[in-house]
Amino acid sequence: MRCRDDRGFTMIELLIVITIISIIAAIAVPGLMRSRMTGNETSAISSMGVTRSAQVAYSASCGSGGYAANYLVLGMPPGASTDGFISMDLGRAAPVQKSGYAFQLTAGAGASSGPTDCHGLATNSAWIATAVPITVGVTGTRGFAVTAANTIWQDTSGSAPTEPFTASATVSVIQ
């Protein structure tokens, strides 16, 4: 009696399977990248809102009416508290990079020196926070900015909107 000789898959069968997997991957990867960029942009917008709220809380309780000069100051806990005005992912590092975006908090246009805060640090009368994609087109496609006016602006070119904010072909209001 003769046994059938089974040795596994043929080379043609393996090539067909690899081709099918490659086609499926080629279709799925761009959608996955778009989803990741959308998630990064959503995180950046949320962080702009958190920055806005943190500056208001800082000004009212520690800044004597002035605003924090940078994210590190917002991350410092006031007095006997153990929590800063902003979460550790934004307030404990310089430069701040989070979810594919680089964040910066500086004095706003026309800012003057404000009073010293509860830590003895100088404050500003105005501020601007920006978020730009680390790699435009890969980690995000829009840049964002927010000021004490509490409006978040976006620039679809990937750079941060600049003060004074004016609507244009690439710059518009989000909130």
Side-chain angles (χ1 to χ4, degrees):
M1 191 172 351
R2 206 168 169 194
C3 277
R4 191 171 153 207
D5 189 23
D6 289 332
R7 294 185 181 200
F9 297 107
T10 66
M11 182 62 85
I12 298 296
E13 291 170 329
L14 289 175
L15 288 174
I16 291 171
V17 169
I18 289 172
T19 303
I20 291 170
I21 290 172
S22 299
I23 291 170
I24 292 171
I27 293 169
V29 168
L32 185 63
M33 292 301 293
R34 279 191 305 276
S35 296
R36 183 175 181 184
M37 281 194 306
T38 300
N40 288 346
E41 290 176 351
T42 302
S43 175
I45 293 167
S46 176
S47 294
M48 291 286 97
V50 167
T51 300
R52 176 176 55 195
S53 299
Q55 282 284 42
V56 169
Y58 171 87
S59 178
S61 64
C62 182
S64 301
Y67 298 106
N70 56 52
Y71 278 114
L72 291 174
V73 174
L74 284 179
M76 297 171 71
S81 175
T82 58
D83 295 324
F85 294 96
I86 203 157
S87 61
M88 289 179 20
D89 58 351
L90 291 172
R92 297 281 193 256
V96 178
Q97 292 185 345
K98 175 185 167 201
S99 299
Y101 272 77
F103 293 85
Q104 187 174 13
L105 175 62
T106 59
S112 60
S113 295
T116 57
D117 68 3
C118 59
H119 303 291
L121 301 172
T123 61
N124 295 319
S125 63
W127 59 274
I128 182 170
T130 60
V132 293
I134 294 171
T135 307
V136 177
V138 176
T139 60
T141 58
R142 300 181 290 167
F144 304 100
V146 64
T147 63
N150 291 331
T151 301
I152 299 175
W153 290 77
Q154 69 176 350
D155 188 334
T156 57
S157 71
S159 59
T162 56
E163 291 184 284
F165 298 127
T166 54
S168 69
T170 61
V171 177
S172 60
V173 173
I174 291 180
Q175 301 176 357

